[in-house]
Amino acid sequence: MFALLSFLLSFFKTGDAPGESLSSPSVPASSNETVGLDAVPDESFRTSRPDIVGPDAPDAPFPIKLSGPVQHGFGRGGKDLGCPTANLPDDSLPPMIDAAKTGVYYGYAQVTPSEGTPSSLSDQDVCVLPMVMSFGWNPFYKNERMTAEIHIMHEFKTDFYGYDMKALVLGYIRPELHYTSREALIEDIEFDKKVALKSMARPGYQKYMSDPFFTA
């Protein structure tokens, strides 16, 4: 377990600053709830956030399977936040909309070229990799439509727009929150990554790296 955690932690540079509070259930409520959209995290919340969330193995409604071609997003994840994201198309979102509320989630993802299409991706790029996903309206940027923005914790040497992506959502980290500064949002994104990796280091989550849903 410790060896895998060390391996997973190598996918990103962890910040030391904690994020906002977390008081989320292991099973998210209906997507009709907009928990957190009007909440602004304060300092007392930011110092009490746990770095492991969820039960020892995914429970209902997880795992949630998402798939589709990678879409061009808003172009702000890598530029503004240092956290590049890959967006799934709108028609891939019903499994999340039907089962979960908006917020930040963790799991695994895989990017692969379409069958018969030349690929510039390396063998490491097409592995099943840890990810965090922002699902909802992204109130800091005032999105006008719901999105699923996935950050795969791996350094890709080239973009992969149009490639196929599969994501297996395994757990819930926190609700969406309205941030008053970009710096606070970046701190919490970095902490979200740490939470995801430590939560998925447990055996009940590790096994999903070889789930049949992914391409062998």
Side-chain angles (χ1 to χ4, degrees):
M1 173 177 174
F2 294 108
L4 178 63
L5 176 57
S6 177
F7 169 72
L8 290 176
L9 286 171
S10 70
F11 282 110
F12 75 102
K13 180 178 180 181
T14 305
D16 293 327
E20 79 276 8
S21 73
L22 176 68
S23 57
S24 60
S26 61
V27 181
S30 165
S31 62
N32 291 327
E33 298 182 28
T34 54
V35 176
L37 286 181
D38 297 321
V40 178
D42 64 30
E43 201 60 35
S44 65
F45 290 162
R46 302 174 69 83
T47 58
S48 61
R49 185 174 171 189
D51 59 5
I52 295 180
V53 296
D56 287 339
D59 58 9
F62 307 111
I64 299 173
K65 298 177 180 179
L66 303 175
S67 62
V70 175
Q71 307 289 293
H72 283 273
F74 300 103
R76 63 200 178 201
K79 182 186 300 182
D80 286 2
L81 306 175
C83 182
T85 60
N87 288 37
L88 285 169
D90 293 349
D91 60 10
S92 71
L93 300 186
M96 281 296 295
I97 294 172
D98 293 344
K101 64 185 179 184
T102 60
V104 179
Y105 291 80
Y106 61 89
Y108 293 108
Q110 183 184 37
V111 176
T112 56
S114 300
E115 188 174 352
T117 302
S119 172
S120 59
L121 299 179
S122 69
D123 290 345
Q124 290 74 31
D125 293 339
V126 298
C127 289
V128 176
L129 298 163
M131 66 85 175
V132 287
M133 180 180 74
S134 173
F135 170 64
W137 304 97
N138 201 331
F140 181 76
Y141 287 103
K142 299 179 175 61
N143 284 6
E144 295 182 356
R145 63 183 179 85
M146 184 174 285
T147 60
E149 300 178 49
I150 294 175
H151 172 66
I152 300 177
M153 287 181 268
H154 172 73
E155 186 176 347
F156 290 87
K157 303 299 183 183
T158 182
D159 68 57
F160 44 84
Y161 294 120
Y163 284 50
D164 295 328
M165 181 166 64
K166 293 181 178 180
L168 203 57
V169 185
L170 299 178
Y172 176 71
I173 297 178
R174 62 173 175 86
E176 282 194 296
L177 292 164
H178 176 70
Y179 290 88
T180 57
S181 75
R182 181 177 286 103
E183 291 73 20
L185 174 57
I186 291 172
E187 287 180 2
D188 279 2
I189 288 172
E190 291 303 310
F191 199 81
D192 291 337
K193 296 176 187 179
K194 179 179 179 180
V195 170
L197 294 176
K198 293 193 73 172
S199 298
M200 289 190 294
R202 292 171 290 184
Y205 293 86
Q206 294 173 22
K207 67 180 183 179
Y208 285 94
M209 293 183 74
S210 56
D211 191 272
F213 174 62
F214 295 118
T215 303

